[in-house]
């Protein structure tokens, strides 16, 4: 008989993380908006600023609030780079939108964003 307690299913949640690859550090103070898209409408769900670690202090959505469907995260990277005082760094990218689909039955969606003044990338994190 195992002495470990039975594991419970993970609470569904959506998180994000922004890393500034040009400066090799988390991107603190990036404004992030979360939108839910359905039936031709776009509903704002959350608006946050990333913390010193480039993360949100809490999940953007958790539990039953994270429903299957189409979502969009919009990151204000132009303002972030302009705020650093880098000459011209905020002149190319303004807002970076990432649209993704939440599937039924999946529990954790982590959507990280890697940014530089002239490029970005994302992936489905863990």
């Amino acid at each position: 008989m195992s002495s470990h307690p039975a594991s419970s299913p993970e609470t569904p949640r959506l998180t994000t993380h922004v890393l500034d690859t040009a400066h090799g550090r988390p991107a603190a103070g990036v404004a992030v908006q979360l939108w839910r898209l359905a039936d031709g409408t776009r509903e704002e769900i959350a608006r946050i600023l990333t913390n010193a670690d480039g993360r949100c202090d809490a999940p953007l959505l958790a539990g039953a609030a994270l429903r299957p469907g189409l979502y969009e995260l919009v990151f204000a990277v132009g303002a972030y780079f302009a705020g650093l005082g880098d000459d011209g760094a905020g002149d190319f990218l303004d807002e970076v939108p990432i649209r993704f689909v939440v599937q039924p039955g999946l529990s954790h969606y982590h959507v990280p964003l890697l940014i530089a003044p002239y490029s970005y990338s994302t992936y489905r994190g863990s």
Side-chain angles (χ1 to χ4, degrees):
M1 177 178 231
S2 173
S3 62
H4 299 289
S7 63
S8 60
E10 184 177 24
T11 300
R13 67 191 188 285
L14 170 64
T15 58
T16 191
H17 189 190
V18 185
L19 297 170
D20 178 345
T21 59
H23 297 97
R25 64 181 179 224
V30 175
V32 181
Q33 295 173 305
L34 173 64
W35 299 84
R36 183 178 291 126
L37 294 84
D39 302 322
T41 65
R42 190 171 184 243
E43 175 190 6
E44 186 176 25
I45 303 299
R47 185 180 291 235
I48 61 99
L49 287 175
T50 57
N51 62 22
D53 195 32
R55 299 177 184 271
C56 306
D57 290 328
L60 291 164
L61 287 174
L66 183 58
R67 303 187 318 247
L70 182 62
Y71 291 85
E72 181 177 67
L73 284 166
V74 179
F75 300 85
V77 301
Y80 166 78
F81 282 116
L84 294 180
D86 289 352
D87 185 34
D91 293 346
F92 180 62
L93 293 174
D94 181 29
E95 293 184 336
V96 172
I98 300 173
R99 285 194 178 176
F100 58 98
V101 177
V102 170
Q103 299 291 337
L106 297 177
S107 62
H108 183 200
Y109 280 80
H110 182 63
V111 183
L113 180 67
L114 309 175
I115 57 172
Y118 304 101
S119 67
Y120 66 91
S121 66
T122 188
Y123 57 95
R124 177 148 184 229
S126 58

